[in-house]
Amino acid sequence: MIYNIDHVAIAVHDLDEAIERHRKLFGAEPLWREVVDQQGVEEAMIAIGGSFVQLLAPLNTTSPVGRFLSKYGEGMHHIAYAVTDIEAALDDLRQQGARLVDEEPRQGGRGARIAFVHPATFAGTLIELVELAHE
Ligand code: CO
């Protein structure tokens, strides 16, 4: 069902500043950045091995990441598992009684389809399922 850690997401206030600080500390450049309106974020993806660190900054204070930042401050926001079939993964989780944030997949960055699993489902951790766009 899951075959890779697609990314680990860190919520930050200022995307430019966070990219620069991460570059200076760890010498890693973002491969791309994009605004994902549907999620109210701008994200930068930094490739590390076969996975990414995703730096996430809110477009406004009322978006989910904006609310997260005002509640908890900067820090780890979610972990994203790559799945081959996101509908099958959601069905399987539903059958196991998992609490889902998204009942249906929605559009994420990179043309991927994503869905969030509620932190109450596993260890207080927000988990994102990602089905990458097929070439
Ligand atoms: Co993510």
Side-chain angles (χ1 to χ4, degrees), residues 36-81:
V36 185
D37 278 317
Q38 214 195 350
Q39 289 177 64
V41 295
E42 183 170 10
E43 60 182 50
M45 298 298 265
I46 300 167
I48 298 174
S51 304
F52 295 91
V53 165
Q54 179 184 64
L55 301 178
L56 274 182
L59 297 177
N60 55 62
T61 52
T62 54
S63 65
V65 174
R67 291 198 308 266
F68 175 92
L69 281 168
S70 47
K71 202 166 167 190
Y72 304 109
E74 292 188 321
M76 268 275 307
H77 185 264
H78 63 270
I79 181 166
Y81 291 144

Side-chain angles (χ1 to χ4, degrees), residues 6-10 39 43 45 54 56 77-80 109-110 114 116 128-130:
D6 183 73
H7 61 269
V8 173
I10 301 172
Q39 289 177 64
E43 60 182 50
M45 298 298 265
Q54 179 184 64
L56 274 182
H77 185 264
H78 63 270
I79 181 166
R110 295 171 292 162
I114 66 165
F116 283 94
E128 177 185 358
L129 305 176
V130 179

Side-chain angles (χ1 to χ4, degrees), residues 76-81 99 116-128:
M76 268 275 307
H77 185 264
H78 63 270
I79 181 166
Y81 291 144
R99 187 165 153 197
F116 283 94
V117 180
H118 195 277
T121 298
F122 183 74
T125 303
L126 180 62
I127 292 174
E128 177 185 358

Side-chain angles (χ1 to χ4, degrees), residues 15 19 29-34 43-47 52-53 55 109-111 132:
L15 192 58
I19 289 169
E29 297 283 335
L31 281 190
W32 69 87
R33 58 191 281 177
E34 70 181 288
E43 60 182 50
M45 298 298 265
I46 300 167
F52 295 91
V53 165
L55 301 178
R110 295 171 292 162
L132 294 171

